[in-house]
PDB file of all heavy atoms in Angstrom:
ATOM      1  N   LEU A 114       4.962 -13.554  22.335  1.00 88.00           N
ATOM      2  CA  LEU A 114       4.742 -12.220  21.751  1.00 88.00           C
ATOM      3  C   LEU A 114       5.927 -11.764  20.903  1.00 88.00           C
ATOM      4  O   LEU A 114       6.372 -10.614  20.968  1.00 88.00           O
ATOM      5  CB  LEU A 114       4.468 -11.188  22.861  1.00 88.00           C
ATOM      6  CG  LEU A 114       3.340 -11.519  23.848  1.00 88.00           C
ATOM      7  CD1 LEU A 114       3.219 -10.406  24.892  1.00 88.00           C
ATOM      8  CD2 LEU A 114       2.023 -11.743  23.129  1.00 88.00           C
ATOM      9  N   LEU A 115       6.455 -12.681  20.083  1.00 86.00           N
ATOM     10  CA  LEU A 115       7.626 -12.356  19.280  1.00 86.00           C
ATOM     11  C   LEU A 115       7.255 -11.427  18.129  1.00 86.00           C
ATOM     12  O   LEU A 115       6.216 -11.616  17.477  1.00 86.00           O
ATOM     13  CB  LEU A 115       8.267 -13.635  18.716  1.00 86.00           C
ATOM     14  CG  LEU A 115       8.734 -14.675  19.740  1.00 86.00           C
ATOM     15  CD1 LEU A 115       9.481 -15.798  19.018  1.00 86.00           C
ATOM     16  CD2 LEU A 115       9.623 -14.047  20.797  1.00 86.00           C
ATOM     17  N   ASP A 116       8.116 -10.455  17.860  1.00 81.00           N
ATOM     18  CA  ASP A 116       7.899  -9.591  16.697  1.00 81.00           C
ATOM     19  C   ASP A 116       8.439 -10.309  15.461  1.00 81.00           C
ATOM     20  O   ASP A 116       9.015 -11.410  15.569  1.00 81.00           O
ATOM     21  CB  ASP A 116       8.552  -8.220  16.899  1.00 81.00           C
ATOM     22  CG  ASP A 116      10.073  -8.275  16.980  1.00 81.00           C
ATOM     23  OD1 ASP A 116      10.689  -9.240  16.477  1.00 81.00           O
ATOM     24  OD2 ASP A 116      10.666  -7.340  17.556  1.00 81.00           O
ATOM     25  N   PRO A 117       8.244  -9.762  14.237  1.00 78.00           N
ATOM     26  CA  PRO A 117       8.660 -10.476  13.013  1.00 78.00           C
ATOM     27  C   PRO A 117      10.135 -10.887  13.005  1.00 78.00           C
ATOM     28  O   PRO A 117      10.468 -12.001  12.590  1.00 78.00           O
ATOM     29  CB  PRO A 117       8.347  -9.469  11.902  1.00 78.00           C
ATOM     30  CG  PRO A 117       7.199  -8.680  12.436  1.00 78.00           C
ATOM     31  CD  PRO A 117       7.466  -8.550  13.911  1.00 78.00           C
ATOM     32  N   SER A 118      11.028 -10.017  13.473  1.00 74.00           N
ATOM     33  CA  SER A 118      12.456 -10.358  13.480  1.00 74.00           C
ATOM     34  C   SER A 118      12.742 -11.487  14.463  1.00 74.00           C
ATOM     35  O   SER A 118      13.523 -12.402  14.172  1.00 74.00           O
ATOM     36  CB  SER A 118      13.296  -9.127  13.831  1.00 74.00           C
ATOM     37  OG  SER A 118      13.161  -8.130  12.842  1.00 74.00           O
ATOM     38  N   GLU A 119      12.112 -11.427  15.631  1.00 83.00           N
ATOM     39  CA  GLU A 119      12.317 -12.468  16.640  1.00 83.00           C
ATOM     40  C   GLU A 119      11.735 -13.799  16.167  1.00 83.00           C
ATOM     41  O   GLU A 119      12.319 -14.860  16.402  1.00 83.00           O
ATOM     42  CB  GLU A 119      11.670 -12.038  17.956  1.00 83.00           C
ATOM     43  CG  GLU A 119      12.358 -10.851  18.613  1.00 83.00           C
ATOM     44  CD  GLU A 119      11.545 -10.268  19.757  1.00 83.00           C
ATOM     45  OE1 GLU A 119      10.296 -10.396  19.739  1.00 83.00           O
ATOM     46  OE2 GLU A 119      12.154  -9.685  20.672  1.00 83.00           O
ATOM     47  N   ARG A 120      10.585 -13.741  15.532  1.00 85.00           N
ATOM     48  CA  ARG A 120       9.966 -14.959  15.014  1.00 85.00           C
ATOM     49  C   ARG A 120      10.880 -15.629  13.975  1.00 85.00           C
ATOM     50  O   ARG A 120      11.097 -16.843  14.006  1.00 85.00           O
ATOM     51  CB  ARG A 120       8.606 -14.628  14.394  1.00 85.00           C
ATOM     52  CG  ARG A 120       7.892 -15.830  13.767  1.00 85.00           C
ATOM     53  CD  ARG A 120       6.632 -15.392  13.028  1.00 85.00           C
ATOM     54  NE  ARG A 120       6.048 -16.514  12.312  1.00 85.00           N
ATOM     55  CZ  ARG A 120       5.100 -17.304  12.797  1.00 85.00           C
ATOM     56  NH1 ARG A 120       4.613 -17.095  14.006  1.00 85.00           N
ATOM     57  NH2 ARG A 120       4.625 -18.302  12.065  1.00 85.00           N
ATOM     58  N   ALA A 121      11.412 -14.833  13.058  1.00 81.00           N
ATOM     59  CA  ALA A 121      12.317 -15.383  12.044  1.00 81.00           C
ATOM     60  C   ALA A 121      13.548 -15.996  12.702  1.00 81.00           C
ATOM     61  O   ALA A 121      14.032 -17.059  12.284  1.00 81.00           O
ATOM     62  CB  ALA A 121      12.733 -14.282  11.068  1.00 81.00           C
ATOM     63  N   HIS A 122      14.053 -15.345  13.751  1.00 84.00           N
ATOM     64  CA  HIS A 122      15.224 -15.857  14.466  1.00 84.00           C
ATOM     65  C   HIS A 122      14.909 -17.191  15.141  1.00 84.00           C
ATOM     66  O   HIS A 122      15.724 -18.122  15.124  1.00 84.00           O
ATOM     67  CB  HIS A 122      15.681 -14.826  15.503  1.00 84.00           C
ATOM     68  CG  HIS A 122      16.991 -15.140  16.150  1.00 84.00           C
ATOM     69  ND1 HIS A 122      18.165 -15.315  15.444  1.00 84.00           N
ATOM     70  CD2 HIS A 122      17.312 -15.331  17.462  1.00 84.00           C
ATOM     71  CE1 HIS A 122      19.155 -15.584  16.281  1.00 84.00           C
ATOM     72  NE2 HIS A 122      18.665 -15.604  17.505  1.00 84.00           N
ATOM     73  N   LEU A 123      13.712 -17.302  15.732  1.00 86.00           N
ATOM     74  CA  LEU A 123      13.299 -18.551  16.375  1.00 86.00           C
ATOM     75  C   LEU A 123      13.303 -19.703  15.388  1.00 86.00           C
ATOM     76  O   LEU A 123      13.857 -20.781  15.666  1.00 86.00           O
ATOM     77  CB  LEU A 123      11.900 -18.376  16.981  1.00 86.00           C
ATOM     78  CG  LEU A 123      11.220 -19.660  17.481  1.00 86.00           C
ATOM     79  CD1 LEU A 123      11.972 -20.238  18.677  1.00 86.00           C
ATOM     80  CD2 LEU A 123       9.758 -19.390  17.853  1.00 86.00           C
ATOM     81  N   PHE A 124      12.700 -19.507  14.221  1.00 85.00           N
ATOM     82  CA  PHE A 124      12.631 -20.580  13.233  1.00 85.00           C
ATOM     83  C   PHE A 124      14.012 -20.924  12.690  1.00 85.00           C
ATOM     84  O   PHE A 124      14.306 -22.096  12.413  1.00 85.00           O
ATOM     85  CB  PHE A 124      11.679 -20.194  12.100  1.00 85.00           C
ATOM     86  CG  PHE A 124      10.230 -20.465  12.409  1.00 85.00           C
ATOM     87  CD1 PHE A 124       9.475 -19.565  13.140  1.00 85.00           C
ATOM     88  CD2 PHE A 124       9.623 -21.638  11.978  1.00 85.00           C
ATOM     89  CE1 PHE A 124       8.138 -19.822  13.447  1.00 85.00           C
ATOM     90  CE2 PHE A 124       8.291 -21.906  12.277  1.00 85.00           C
ATOM     91  CZ  PHE A 124       7.546 -20.999  13.008  1.00 85.00           C
ATOM     92  N   THR A 125      14.877 -19.925  12.554  1.00 83.00           N
ATOM     93  CA  THR A 125      16.242 -20.190  12.086  1.00 83.00           C
ATOM     94  C   THR A 125      17.002 -21.044  13.094  1.00 83.00           C
ATOM     95  O   THR A 125      17.656 -22.034  12.720  1.00 83.00           O
ATOM     96  CB  THR A 125      16.990 -18.873  11.852  1.00 83.00           C
ATOM     97  OG1 THR A 125      16.332 -18.132  10.822  1.00 83.00           O
ATOM     98  CG2 THR A 125      18.437 -19.145  11.422  1.00 83.00           C
ATOM     99  N   LEU A 126      16.925 -20.693  14.369  1.00 85.00           N
ATOM    100  CA  LEU A 126      17.628 -21.458  15.397  1.00 85.00           C
ATOM    101  C   LEU A 126      17.077 -22.872  15.522  1.00 85.00           C
ATOM    102  O   LEU A 126      17.817 -23.812  15.829  1.00 85.00           O
ATOM    103  CB  LEU A 126      17.528 -20.744  16.750  1.00 85.00           C
ATOM    104  CG  LEU A 126      18.270 -19.411  16.871  1.00 85.00           C
ATOM    105  CD1 LEU A 126      18.037 -18.800  18.244  1.00 85.00           C
ATOM    106  CD2 LEU A 126      19.766 -19.600  16.623  1.00 85.00           C
ATOM    107  N   ALA A 127      15.770 -23.031  15.291  1.00 84.00           N
ATOM    108  CA  ALA A 127      15.157 -24.352  15.377  1.00 84.00           C
ATOM    109  C   ALA A 127      15.376 -25.172  14.115  1.00 84.00           C
ATOM    110  O   ALA A 127      15.010 -26.350  14.073  1.00 84.00           O
ATOM    111  CB  ALA A 127      13.658 -24.212  15.658  1.00 84.00           C
ATOM    112  N   GLY A 128      15.969 -24.562  13.083  1.00 83.00           N
ATOM    113  CA  GLY A 128      16.227 -25.280  11.830  1.00 83.00           C
ATOM    114  C   GLY A 128      14.960 -25.642  11.085  1.00 83.00           C
ATOM    115  O   GLY A 128      14.878 -26.689  10.443  1.00 83.00           O
ATOM    116  N   ALA A 129      13.953 -24.751  11.151  1.00 82.00           N
ATOM    117  CA  ALA A 129      12.667 -25.020  10.509  1.00 82.00           C
ATOM    118  C   ALA A 129      12.292 -23.847   9.613  1.00 82.00           C
ATOM    119  O   ALA A 129      12.771 -22.725   9.791  1.00 82.00           O
ATOM    120  CB  ALA A 129      11.582 -25.249  11.560  1.00 82.00           C
ATOM    121  N   GLU A 130      11.420 -24.114   8.630  1.00 79.00           N
ATOM    122  CA  GLU A 130      10.950 -23.075   7.715  1.00 79.00           C
ATOM    123  C   GLU A 130       9.613 -22.549   8.216  1.00 79.00           C
ATOM    124  O   GLU A 130       8.675 -23.317   8.447  1.00 79.00           O
ATOM    125  CB  GLU A 130      10.799 -23.627   6.303  1.00 79.00           C
ATOM    126  CG  GLU A 130      10.340 -22.585   5.282  1.00 79.00           C
ATOM    127  CD  GLU A 130      10.293 -23.130   3.865  1.00 79.00           C
ATOM    128  OE1 GLU A 130      10.766 -24.259   3.656  1.00 79.00           O
ATOM    129  OE2 GLU A 130       9.773 -22.422   2.979  1.00 79.00           O
ATOM    130  N   ASP A 131       9.532 -21.258   8.368  1.00 77.00           N
ATOM    131  CA  ASP A 131       8.305 -20.623   8.853  1.00 77.00           C
ATOM    132  C   ASP A 131       7.199 -20.798   7.811  1.00 77.00           C
ATOM    133  O   ASP A 131       7.350 -20.369   6.665  1.00 77.00           O
ATOM    134  CB  ASP A 131       8.572 -19.142   9.100  1.00 77.00           C
ATOM    135  CG  ASP A 131       7.422 -18.452   9.838  1.00 77.00           C
ATOM    136  OD1 ASP A 131       6.337 -19.033   9.916  1.00 77.00           O
ATOM    137  OD2 ASP A 131       7.641 -17.337  10.328  1.00 77.00           O
ATOM    138  N   PRO A 132       6.065 -21.421   8.163  1.00 74.00           N
ATOM    139  CA  PRO A 132       4.994 -21.617   7.186  1.00 74.00           C
ATOM    140  C   PRO A 132       4.266 -20.332   6.828  1.00 74.00           C
ATOM    141  O   PRO A 132       3.640 -20.238   5.773  1.00 74.00           O
ATOM    142  CB  PRO A 132       4.052 -22.600   7.897  1.00 74.00           C
ATOM    143  CG  PRO A 132       4.270 -22.332   9.348  1.00 74.00           C
ATOM    144  CD  PRO A 132       5.727 -21.987   9.483  1.00 74.00           C
ATOM    145  N   THR A 133       4.343 -19.335   7.695  1.00 71.00           N
ATOM    146  CA  THR A 133       3.685 -18.052   7.427  1.00 71.00           C
ATOM    147  C   THR A 133       4.657 -16.917   7.696  1.00 71.00           C
ATOM    148  O   THR A 133       4.479 -16.139   8.637  1.00 71.00           O
ATOM    149  CB  THR A 133       2.425 -17.884   8.303  1.00 71.00           C
ATOM    150  OG1 THR A 133       2.800 -18.022   9.690  1.00 71.00           O
ATOM    151  CG2 THR A 133       1.373 -18.907   7.962  1.00 71.00           C
ATOM    152  N   PRO A 134       5.720 -16.818   6.891  1.00 65.00           N
ATOM    153  CA  PRO A 134       6.713 -15.777   7.145  1.00 65.00           C
ATOM    154  C   PRO A 134       6.131 -14.400   6.915  1.00 65.00           C
ATOM    155  O   PRO A 134       5.251 -14.204   6.080  1.00 65.00           O
ATOM    156  CB  PRO A 134       7.817 -16.095   6.129  1.00 65.00           C
ATOM    157  CG  PRO A 134       7.101 -16.779   5.009  1.00 65.00           C
ATOM    158  CD  PRO A 134       6.011 -17.590   5.679  1.00 65.00           C
ATOM    159  N   VAL A 135       6.623 -13.453   7.667  1.00 57.00           N
ATOM    160  CA  VAL A 135       6.213 -12.063   7.489  1.00 57.00           C
ATOM    161  C   VAL A 135       7.143 -11.447   6.456  1.00 57.00           C
ATOM    162  O   VAL A 135       8.348 -11.308   6.685  1.00 57.00           O
ATOM    163  CB  VAL A 135       6.283 -11.286   8.812  1.00 57.00           C
ATOM    164  CG1 VAL A 135       5.920  -9.819   8.590  1.00 57.00           C
ATOM    165  CG2 VAL A 135       5.362 -11.929   9.839  1.00 57.00           C
ATOM    166  N   ARG A 136       6.606 -11.110   5.302  1.00 57.00           N
ATOM    167  CA  ARG A 136       7.403 -10.569   4.214  1.00 57.00           C
ATOM    168  C   ARG A 136       7.278  -9.055   4.165  1.00 57.00           C
ATOM    169  O   ARG A 136       6.179  -8.528   4.155  1.00 57.00           O
ATOM    170  CB  ARG A 136       6.931 -11.151   2.871  1.00 57.00           C
ATOM    171  CG  ARG A 136       7.002 -12.669   2.793  1.00 57.00           C
ATOM    172  CD  ARG A 136       8.428 -13.143   2.705  1.00 57.00           C
ATOM    173  NE  ARG A 136       8.485 -14.593   2.530  1.00 57.00           N
ATOM    174  CZ  ARG A 136       9.590 -15.298   2.600  1.00 57.00           C
ATOM    175  NH1 ARG A 136      10.736 -14.709   2.852  1.00 57.00           N
ATOM    176  NH2 ARG A 136       9.577 -16.616   2.433  1.00 57.00           N
ATOM    177  N   GLU A 137       8.425  -8.400   4.147  1.00 50.00           N
ATOM    178  CA  GLU A 137       8.410  -6.972   3.923  1.00 50.00           C
ATOM    179  C   GLU A 137       8.448  -6.737   2.418  1.00 50.00           C
ATOM    180  O   GLU A 137       9.227  -7.354   1.703  1.00 50.00           O
ATOM    181  CB  GLU A 137       9.616  -6.298   4.585  1.00 50.00           C
ATOM    182  CG  GLU A 137       9.579  -6.361   6.108  1.00 50.00           C
ATOM    183  CD  GLU A 137      10.715  -5.576   6.715  1.00 50.00           C
ATOM    184  OE1 GLU A 137      11.493  -4.976   5.946  1.00 50.00           O
ATOM    185  OE2 GLU A 137      10.834  -5.560   7.941  1.00 50.00           O
ATOM    186  N   CYS A 138       7.595  -5.858   1.922  1.00 51.00           N
ATOM    187  CA  CYS A 138       7.509  -5.607   0.487  1.00 51.00           C
ATOM    188  C   CYS A 138       7.732  -4.138   0.178  1.00 51.00           C
ATOM    189  O   CYS A 138       6.821  -3.438  -0.296  1.00 51.00           O
ATOM    190  CB  CYS A 138       6.157  -6.072  -0.046  1.00 51.00           C
ATOM    191  SG  CYS A 138       5.936  -7.853   0.045  1.00 51.00           S
ATOM    192  N   PRO A 139       8.923  -3.637   0.474  1.00 53.00           N
ATOM    193  CA  PRO A 139       9.188  -2.244   0.122  1.00 53.00           C
ATOM    194  C   PRO A 139       9.286  -2.091  -1.386  1.00 53.00           C
ATOM    195  O   PRO A 139       9.567  -3.047  -2.104  1.00 53.00           O
ATOM    196  CB  PRO A 139      10.538  -1.971   0.796  1.00 53.00           C
ATOM    197  CG  PRO A 139      11.194  -3.306   0.853  1.00 53.00           C
ATOM    198  CD  PRO A 139      10.088  -4.297   1.069  1.00 53.00           C
ATOM    199  N   THR A 140       9.039  -0.889  -1.891  1.00 66.00           N
ATOM    200  CA  THR A 140       9.165  -0.638  -3.312  1.00 66.00           C
ATOM    201  C   THR A 140      10.525  -0.020  -3.591  1.00 66.00           C
ATOM    202  O   THR A 140      11.289   0.288  -2.687  1.00 66.00           O
ATOM    203  CB  THR A 140       8.046   0.300  -3.782  1.00 66.00           C
ATOM    204  OG1 THR A 140       8.100   1.491  -3.001  1.00 66.00           O
ATOM    205  CG2 THR A 140       6.695  -0.357  -3.618  1.00 66.00           C
ATOM    206  N   VAL A 141      10.824   0.147  -4.879  1.00 84.00           N
ATOM    207  CA  VAL A 141      12.052   0.821  -5.268  1.00 84.00           C
ATOM    208  C   VAL A 141      11.889   2.287  -4.918  1.00 84.00           C
ATOM    209  O   VAL A 141      11.065   2.996  -5.501  1.00 84.00           O
ATOM    210  CB  VAL A 141      12.321   0.631  -6.768  1.00 84.00           C
ATOM    211  CG1 VAL A 141      13.577   1.394  -7.178  1.00 84.00           C
ATOM    212  CG2 VAL A 141      12.465  -0.844  -7.096  1.00 84.00           C
ATOM    213  N   THR A 142      12.664   2.759  -3.978  1.00 88.00           N
ATOM    214  CA  THR A 142      12.493   4.096  -3.449  1.00 88.00           C
ATOM    215  C   THR A 142      13.130   5.145  -4.363  1.00 88.00           C
ATOM    216  O   THR A 142      13.991   4.821  -5.192  1.00 88.00           O
ATOM    217  CB  THR A 142      13.135   4.205  -2.058  1.00 88.00           C
ATOM    218  OG1 THR A 142      14.559   4.014  -2.200  1.00 88.00           O
ATOM    219  CG2 THR A 142      12.565   3.147  -1.112  1.00 88.00           C
ATOM    220  N   PRO A 143      12.733   6.410  -4.217  1.00 90.00           N
ATOM    221  CA  PRO A 143      13.387   7.469  -4.996  1.00 90.00           C
ATOM    222  C   PRO A 143      14.894   7.507  -4.782  1.00 90.00           C
ATOM    223  O   PRO A 143      15.643   7.809  -5.715  1.00 90.00           O
ATOM    224  CB  PRO A 143      12.709   8.748  -4.471  1.00 90.00           C
ATOM    225  CG  PRO A 143      11.351   8.295  -4.028  1.00 90.00           C
ATOM    226  CD  PRO A 143      11.569   6.916  -3.458  1.00 90.00           C
ATOM    227  N   ALA A 144      15.341   7.202  -3.571  1.00 91.00           N
ATOM    228  CA  ALA A 144      16.787   7.203  -3.309  1.00 91.00           C
ATOM    229  C   ALA A 144      17.489   6.125  -4.126  1.00 91.00           C
ATOM    230  O   ALA A 144      18.597   6.342  -4.649  1.00 91.00           O
ATOM    231  CB  ALA A 144      17.041   6.989  -1.816  1.00 91.00           C
ATOM    232  N   VAL A 145      16.853   4.957  -4.250  1.00 91.00           N
ATOM    233  CA  VAL A 145      17.447   3.882  -5.051  1.00 91.00           C
ATOM    234  C   VAL A 145      17.464   4.280  -6.523  1.00 91.00           C
ATOM    235  O   VAL A 145      18.448   4.055  -7.237  1.00 91.00           O
ATOM    236  CB  VAL A 145      16.667   2.568  -4.848  1.00 91.00           C
ATOM    237  CG1 VAL A 145      17.130   1.509  -5.840  1.00 91.00           C
ATOM    238  CG2 VAL A 145      16.854   2.059  -3.420  1.00 91.00           C
ATOM    239  N   ARG A 146      16.383   4.892  -6.995  1.00 92.00           N
ATOM    240  CA  ARG A 146      16.344   5.338  -8.391  1.00 92.00           C
ATOM    241  C   ARG A 146      17.443   6.360  -8.664  1.00 92.00           C
ATOM    242  O   ARG A 146      18.111   6.325  -9.701  1.00 92.00           O
ATOM    243  CB  ARG A 146      14.975   5.958  -8.692  1.00 92.00           C
ATOM    244  CG  ARG A 146      13.797   5.012  -8.531  1.00 92.00           C
ATOM    245  CD  ARG A 146      12.503   5.748  -8.869  1.00 92.00           C
ATOM    246  NE  ARG A 146      11.329   5.027  -8.420  1.00 92.00           N
ATOM    247  CZ  ARG A 146      10.747   4.043  -9.078  1.00 92.00           C
ATOM    248  NH1 ARG A 146      11.256   3.655 -10.223  1.00 92.00           N
ATOM    249  NH2 ARG A 146       9.675   3.438  -8.603  1.00 92.00           N
ATOM    250  N   MET A 147      17.632   7.292  -7.731  1.00 93.00           N
ATOM    251  CA  MET A 147      18.676   8.298  -7.901  1.00 93.00           C
ATOM    252  C   MET A 147      20.054   7.651  -7.945  1.00 93.00           C
ATOM    253  O   MET A 147      20.915   8.034  -8.752  1.00 93.00           O
ATOM    254  CB  MET A 147      18.607   9.329  -6.769  1.00 93.00           C
ATOM    255  CG  MET A 147      19.606  10.471  -6.911  1.00 93.00           C
ATOM    256  SD  MET A 147      19.501  11.659  -5.538  1.00 93.00           S
ATOM    257  CE  MET A 147      17.820  12.276  -5.810  1.00 93.00           C
TER     258      MET A 147
END
Side-chain angles (χ1 to χ4, degrees):
L114 306 179
L115 301 186
D116 65 23
S118 296
E119 292 168 333
R120 178 187 174 93
H122 189 58
L123 170 66
F124 277 83
T125 297
L126 292 178
E130 181 176 352
D131 190 346
T133 56
V135 177
R136 302 288 184 189
E137 293 185 1
C138 294
T140 56
V141 177
T142 64
V145 171
R146 299 180 195 277
M147 184 181 296

